[in-house]
Amino acid sequence: MTTCPRQIGLGYARPVPVRATKRGDQRTPLAGEYDVLICGASFAGLAVARELAGTDARILVLDRYEIGERQTSACAAPTEWLVNLGLASSMRQTFRDLVIHTPHETVRMRLPWTFSTFDYRELCGLLWEQSGTAEFETATVERRRRTADGGRRISVATDRGELSAPLVVDALGWKRVLDGNAYQPPAAPLSRGLEVHPWGASDELEIWIDRDYVPAGYGWSFPARDEVRVGVGSFDPRHHVKEPTVRLAADLDREAVRYQGNWIPHKLRDATAHDVFFAGDSAGHCLPLTAEGIRTALYFGLACGRELRGVVEGRATREQALRRYHAFSAAHEWKFRWMLRTQRTVPRVPPRLLAAALRWPLSNDAFVGWSFRHYLNVAPPSFAGEAPAAAPVVPTAA
Ligand SMILES: Cc1cc2nc3c(=O)[nH]c(=O)nc-3n(C[C@H](O)[C@H](O)[C@H](O)COP(=O)(O)OP(=O)(O)OC[C@H]3O[C@@H](n4cnc5c(N)ncnc54)[C@H](O)[C@@H]3O)c2cc1C
């Protein structure tokens, strides 16, 4: 791996890797044994790595792209989360109000906390800076393999060779590659989202709940200083979102350029399987109804990293860490279930009734304050500042 001291215009203190593995024949082989293998270098994977900084563990982070190379979302998250994680300098714009458009009216909601849009590459670079001596390689993760040592080490096959570690994290997104289970749209519980990133500016964070754009889902316009991220998300994976995204952009007088889209899980899955830890979209940690998955990927990534830290520091066994992390994630199940129920109910309500049903709560500051505080507490920003989880001191099996 080679590194460059600065990424253009970003000024990271810690070098961000640049592509050392060339394409085709020039791709160099990769093999080795590590203490921790973190597969996926986006929100969840980098949050795990950050929690392991300062340990003696040999940690390898893998991604098919360079860190921050491919933006995976509209990049809006609660400001307090970004500030508490020391990521404030990546923020582009902060919003206190959310403007909701329905076919019948427009409501401006004053939120009890703010949302900020941020620059993906810069945020990932800042998280990487916090991850100590972890190493990084670009490689495509293909599958988990059995090892001949009775399961102590887990082997991960990549397009560049095989790697192994006793502690392995899948933060690879919705495909959940290391589980090996086929989880394919449109049958799987996945939403789909697509957005364009035209240059331009706006002061408003806006969403559209309008069946003319999407029968079940919503459209958005998230400004980020000099670009506006305009997109449409459908809770129904069979519903294509390209045409409505282009149409929404046209209605807003924005150019449909620089596309970015993906499937978005809307159902929580087990956070551990086959002795592997899953965090972020790979565990279905994206919230149903709002499709907000950044802060939850960070939240569960931190929780996972804290459990792994207990193992590498000899305070817990891998099995204890797996159990504790599994239980931590599962304890949130009822909140995800309620949000999924609401996601399924909203599209069934006739538009006029929905507009009437939304009018009072959305324009009532006390109700908005109460509900949004509850919503924030599903993955509270204070978690970013909490100490690593205390685990019983037992010899490590890893
Ligand atoms: C259009 C759109 C807009 C969105 N906007 C928002 C938003 O504004 N706010 C919000 O909170 N959420 C948003 N979301 C949801 C959010 O993007 C996800 O929930 C979040 O990115 C999950 O983070 P993650 O780290 O789990 O996975 P990801 O961010 O998907 O990262 C997975 C990583 O794994 C890598 N990877 C995948 N497969 C392999 C492989 N086989 N080998 C090696 N590497 C691999 C990828 O390159 C990537 O770096 C949006 C989603 C979409 C589709």
Side-chain angles (χ1 to χ4, degrees):
M1 182 182 73
T2 57
T3 55
C4 67
R6 289 169 74 89
Q7 194 85 351
I8 298 164
L10 300 182
Y12 302 145
R14 182 160 174 244
V16 166
V18 292
R19 190 177 294 280
T21 52
K22 304 284 188 283
R23 310 224 180 247
D25 298 350
Q26 292 172 304
R27 245 171 129 75
T28 53
L30 189 61
E33 296 192 351
Y34 290 82
D35 297 317
V36 186
L37 261 184
I38 301 171
C39 304
S42 185
F43 306 108
L46 293 172
V48 176
R50 169 194 196 269
E51 289 304 292
L52 291 165
T55 63
D56 293 335
R58 212 176 151 220
I59 302 157
L60 179 65
V61 181
L62 291 172
D63 200 289
R64 59 188 166 180
Y65 303 121
E66 285 301 336
I67 293 173
E69 187 182 329
R70 288 281 177 110
Q71 183 163 336
T72 56
S73 80
C75 293
T79 310
E80 206 180 336
W81 258 101
L82 303 174
V83 170
N84 288 2
L85 284 174
L87 307 172
S89 62
S90 66
M91 285 173 2
R92 289 292 175 267
Q93 232 175 304
T94 296
F95 306 87
R96 167 66 70 184
D97 290 352
L98 175 62
V99 178
I100 302 185
H101 305 276
T102 69
H104 305 287
E105 63 189 311
T106 290
V107 181
R108 175 178 293 275
M109 280 189 341
R110 172 118 305 202
L111 304 178
W113 39 272
T114 61
F115 261 110
S116 291
T117 48
F118 59 85
D119 182 275
Y120 179 71
R121 180 181 282 257
E122 218 168 308
L123 179 131
C124 291
L126 289 167
L127 273 176
W128 177 243
E129 258 178 37
Q130 298 174 11
S131 59
T133 53
E135 297 166 45
F136 175 79
E137 290 284 352
T138 50
T140 300
V141 175
E142 290 169 345
R143 71 187 73 85
R144 175 181 43 84
R145 276 198 220 278
R146 280 178 196 280
T147 51
D149 68 352
R152 202 184 74 79
R153 301 190 74 81
I154 297 162
S155 215
V156 171
T158 77
D159 65 332
R160 293 179 55 201
E162 198 149 317
L163 299 148
S164 73
L167 299 171
V168 173
V169 180
D170 179 332
L172 295 166
W174 68 270
K175 275 194 188 160
R176 199 175 159 102
V177 177
L178 297 182
D179 192 3
N181 287 336
Y183 196 67
Q184 285 303 324
L190 296 164
S191 302
R192 66 195 303 170
L194 180 71
E195 62 186 17
V196 290
H197 292 186
W199 299 115
S202 166
D203 292 330
E204 306 285 21
L205 188 72
E206 296 171 272
I207 67 168
W208 283 261
I209 305 173
D210 185 339
R211 283 170 205 177
D212 206 29
Y213 288 122
V214 58
Y218 65 93
W220 63 86
S221 169
F222 290 178
R225 196 188 294 163
D226 50 5
E227 71 171 24
V228 185
R229 298 157 188 170
V230 177
V232 170
S234 171
F235 301 142
D236 183 343
R238 290 164 306 183
H239 195 95
H240 292 268
V241 284
K242 181 159 184 196
E243 186 278 329
T245 297
V246 172
R247 187 151 45 90
L248 177 58
D251 290 349
L252 300 177
D253 223 4
R254 305 276 181 201
E255 241 187 309
V257 289
R258 300 194 291 151
Y259 286 82
Q260 184 286 116
N262 204 350
W263 298 99
I264 311 170
H266 56 234
K267 194 159 185 220
L268 196 66
R269 308 178 74 182
D270 283 343
T272 61
H274 321 287
D275 296 330
V276 173
F277 296 77
F278 295 83
D281 277 7
S282 69
H285 283 146
C286 188
L287 293 167
L289 184 64
T290 58
E292 203 204 332
I294 297 170
R295 81 175 142 118
T296 48
L298 294 168
Y299 173 70
F300 288 101
L302 296 182
C304 176
R306 287 169 191 173
E307 293 300 340
L308 298 185
R309 190 178 185 105
V311 180
V312 300
E313 290 181 345
R315 291 182 283 112
T317 63
R318 177 177 74 187
E319 286 58 41
Q320 286 170 325
L322 284 163
R323 267 201 306 279
R324 283 166 54 97
Y325 176 62
H326 188 280
F328 175 81
S329 176
H332 295 71
E333 197 273 334
W334 66 273
K335 299 174 190 172
F336 280 72
R337 190 166 11 100
W338 269 102
M339 292 192 69
L340 183 55
R341 262 187 210 160
T342 314
Q343 171 179 307
R344 286 178 176 150
T345 306
V346 170
R348 294 196 196 122
V349 182
R352 274 192 191 282
L353 194 62
L354 183 65
L358 290 176
R359 191 172 304 128
W360 178 81
L362 296 189
S363 54
N364 183 294
D365 285 350
F367 180 82
V368 169
W370 174 84
S371 54
F372 270 75
R373 266 190 288 274
H374 275 281
Y375 174 64
L376 187 65
N377 280 335
V378 174
S382 57
F383 195 75
E386 282 169 19
V393 179
V394 287
T396 171

